[in-house]
């Protein structure tokens, strides 16, 4: 057992002591004694927050074109840029929303068992999309290997349930569905998307196999269909170059009533907002995010990191700045990136808050993020399972 003493919590007066043993927090509070600890670290002047959780990433993605857009583990050296980038920036758990299935499942086993230096991994399996739709026919440019290892085409009127059952048997954590029409490569040419009937059957089949379903959308109309279908999470709100940007009070009420978690991925839209030929949508996205927050809709913090210009790790801090610019209070953003994200990835019993019994995934900061959300960048130490994995003191 060891102790961290005199550490502050964001926005709260005084300090607390934290006892850690066997990878878990044994006790936390101002009255906790450090007398039985084998070693004690004085954290005076530092601030403790839960390990950050990235709600939407691509482990095999390359933000700066080092390898293919859905790189295999042998091409990415076991996702080395992603996993090291995450840990350097205090991210101790991620949900990967589109990678080569067998690769990412094998990597998840190594990461979650501690055999490799990595954040915890929650992963989607083969994602489901329309024939000639996004992303395989757009950003993946019809690459045959990606089609075989990462994609299922809904090439019949309704995707057969047994195909999804096969995905479930692989041991994935989520089903990912693309219900989208925007073409990110040739904006003037929209691509086919799934039918509403297909979407409903896919979500129903996911739930029948005891899996949650994440649905990628490009705008309000597609979000409404995803909610009607019973989606568990909605990925994005307004796609880059989206032509529909207004969310009606009726739709906001429907989303609120459904309980679905929405992942706006603001930074991935912001980075492409001034792309030649694109219609800017970021300012409308900020308005929509604030409307959803004010309505009490649960928002998760994810970046779509791994796509071009959105690096894994650092971009999560950029996303938090975007949320603050939208008008969300700093302490609420910290709650979203920890508690809401832990619920999204299904690990709320293990991580997402600093309390007795939970995993000792934690970040020590040199300044209070309640005062300025950019203080989350002031990382001094990162703990994963109670072990120090990054030390900048």
């Amino acid at each position: 057992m060891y102790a961290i003493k005199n550490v502050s919590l964001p926005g709260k007066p005084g300090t607390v002591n934290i006892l850690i043993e066997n990878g878990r927090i044994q006790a936390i509070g101002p009255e906790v004694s450090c007398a039985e600890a084998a070693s004690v670290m004085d954290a005076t002047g530092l601030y403790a927050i839960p390990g950050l959780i990235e709600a939407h990433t691509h482990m095999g993605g390359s933000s700066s074109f080092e390898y293919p857009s859905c790189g295999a583990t042998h091409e990415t050296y076991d996702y080395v840029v992603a996993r090291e980038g995450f840990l350097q920036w205090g991210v101790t758990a991620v949900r990967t929303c589109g990678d080569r299935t067998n690769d990412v499942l094998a990597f998840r086993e190594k990461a979650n068992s501690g055999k490799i230096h990595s954040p915890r991994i929650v992963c989607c399996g083969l994602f489901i999309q329309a024939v000639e739709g996004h992303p395989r026919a757009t950003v993946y440019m019809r690459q045959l290997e990606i089609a075989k290892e990462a994609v299922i085409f809904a090439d019949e009127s309704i995707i057969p349930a047994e195909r999804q059952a096969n995905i479930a048997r692989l041991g994935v954590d989520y089903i990912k569905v693309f219900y989208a029409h925007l073409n990110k490569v040739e904006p003037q040419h929209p691509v086919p998307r799934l039918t509403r009937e297909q979407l409903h059957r896919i979500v129903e089949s996911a739930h029948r196999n005891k899996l949650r379903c994440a649905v990628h959308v490009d705008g309000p109309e597609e979000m409404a269909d995803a909610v009607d279908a019973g989606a568990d999470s909605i990925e994005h709100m307004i796609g880059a170059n989206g032509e529909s940007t207004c969310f009606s009070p009726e739709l906001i009420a429907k989303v609120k009533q459904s309980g679905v978690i929405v992942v706006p991925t603001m930074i991935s839209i912001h980075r492409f907002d001034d792309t030649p030929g694109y219609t800017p949508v970021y300012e409308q996205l900020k308005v929509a995010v604030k409307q959803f927050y004010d309505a009490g809709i649960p928002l998760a913090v994810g970046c779509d990191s791994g796509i071009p210009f959105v690096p894994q790790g650092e971009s999560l801090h950029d996303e938090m700045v975007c949320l603050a610019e939208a008008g969300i209070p700093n302490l609420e953003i910290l709650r979203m990136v920890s508690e809401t994200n832990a619920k999204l990835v299904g690990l709320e019993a293990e991580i997402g808050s600093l309390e007795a019994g939970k995993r000792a995934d934690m970040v020590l900061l040199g300044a209070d993020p309640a005062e300025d959300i950019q203080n989350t960048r002031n990382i001094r130490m990162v703990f994963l399972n109670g072990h120090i994995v990054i030390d900048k003191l």
Side-chain angles (χ1 to χ4, degrees):
M1 180 186 296
Y2 68 94
I4 301 171
K5 72 174 185 178
N6 300 329
V7 67
S8 300
L9 300 178
K12 294 186 178 180
T15 62
V16 299
N17 299 330
I18 306 173
L19 295 183
I20 297 173
E21 186 175 32
N22 296 326
R24 295 185 181 271
I25 297 172
Q26 297 300 311
I28 179 171
E31 75 293 339
V32 169
S33 172
C34 300
E36 297 182 8
S39 62
V40 179
M41 185 185 86
D42 189 345
T44 300
L46 300 180
Y47 292 80
I49 62 172
L52 303 174
I53 303 169
E54 159 70 284
H56 188 128
T57 190
H58 302 275
M59 293 295 290
S62 173
S63 63
S64 54
F65 308 100
E66 298 102 323
Y67 23 76
S69 54
C70 188
T73 48
H74 72 273
E75 295 169 311
T76 62
Y77 300 98
D78 259 359
Y79 307 135
V80 66
V81 171
R83 54 188 167 92
E84 292 296 335
F86 282 128
L87 292 177
Q88 286 288 335
W89 287 100
V91 180
T92 56
V94 306
R95 181 183 61 152
T96 177
C97 289
D99 278 294
R100 302 189 190 213
T101 303
N102 291 335
D103 281 1
V104 77
L105 287 171
F107 181 82
R108 184 189 64 180
E109 190 280 326
K110 291 190 291 186
N112 293 355
S113 63
K115 296 176 183 176
I116 197 167
H117 194 245
S118 171
R120 304 178 191 282
I121 304 292
V122 169
C123 64
C124 300
L126 293 147
F127 51 75
I128 302 169
Q129 66 158 87
V131 176
E132 294 302 310
H134 179 71
R136 195 259 175 170
T138 56
V139 295
Y140 293 158
M141 300 181 182
R142 298 181 174 84
Q143 295 177 54
L144 292 178
E145 283 191 4
I146 292 176
K148 182 172 63 176
E149 299 175 22
V151 178
I152 283 183
F153 295 114
D155 52 2
E156 296 116 34
S157 60
I158 300 169
I159 187 168
E162 60 269 20
R163 295 174 73 186
Q164 272 190 263
N166 290 338
I167 303 175
R169 280 191 284 272
L170 293 172
V172 304
D173 301 300
Y174 257 88
I175 293 291
K176 168 79 176 289
V177 188
F178 282 89
Y179 187 66
H181 67 283
L182 296 181
N183 188 332
K184 308 301 173 65
V185 178
E186 299 179 3
Q188 67 276 21
H189 298 298
V191 293
R193 73 178 181 203
L194 301 170
T195 67
R196 291 181 184 178
E197 183 182 21
Q198 286 174 319
L199 178 64
H200 278 259
R201 293 298 181 91
I202 291 165
V203 176
E204 289 169 5
S205 180
H207 292 166
R208 195 179 313 118
N209 287 292
K210 300 185 176 3
L211 290 174
R212 284 178 283 187
C213 196
V215 181
H216 168 123
V217 303
D218 281 334
E221 294 82 2
E222 289 163 347
M223 181 181 288
D225 289 345
V227 171
D228 287 340
D232 299 283
S233 73
I234 292 176
E235 312 303 312
H236 323 297
M237 292 175 63
I238 301 170
N241 194 43
E243 68 280 335
S244 181
T245 60
C246 295
F247 294 81
S248 68
E250 294 76 17
L251 175 55
I252 292 172
K254 174 187 286 192
V255 175
K256 165 67 174 175
Q257 185 177 14
S258 74
V260 68
I261 297 176
V262 177
V263 191
T265 66
M266 298 180 73
I267 190 61
S268 69
I269 308 305
H270 188 30
R271 290 274 156 84
F272 289 91
D273 211 41
D274 60 355
T275 300
Y278 275 31
T279 300
V281 297
Y282 180 65
E283 292 303 317
Q284 294 95 318
L285 177 60
K286 286 198 295 186
V287 171
V289 166
K290 185 60 161 55
Q291 289 175 322
F292 275 46
Y293 170 75
D294 288 343
I297 294 167
L299 300 175
V301 186
C303 308
D304 207 1
S305 55
I307 69 170
F309 316 116
V310 186
Q312 294 102 336
E314 183 178 8
S315 295
L316 194 63
H317 300 268
D318 297 327
E319 183 74 14
M320 289 190 276
V321 171
C322 291
L323 291 163
E325 290 177 348
I328 299 178
N330 294 341
L331 285 174
E332 280 295 292
I333 296 170
L334 293 173
R335 182 189 60 77
M336 288 157 51
V337 79
S338 52
E339 292 180 18
T340 304
N341 279 10
K343 181 180 178 182
L344 175 71
V345 301
L347 295 175
E348 64 270 32
E350 292 285 299
I351 60 174
S353 59
L354 300 180
E355 58 183 298
K358 290 201 173 179
R359 293 284 178 184
D361 292 2
M362 180 169 51
V363 182
L364 298 187
L365 304 173
D368 189 354
E371 296 180 0
D372 185 344
I373 199 62
Q374 299 211 56
N375 286 338
T376 59
R377 292 174 169 270
N378 191 350
I379 294 169
R380 310 305 298 276
M381 192 169 281
V382 180
F383 296 78
L384 179 63
N385 266 329
H387 299 290
I388 298 170
V389 292
I390 301 294
D391 186 353
K392 300 180 181 180
L393 287 177

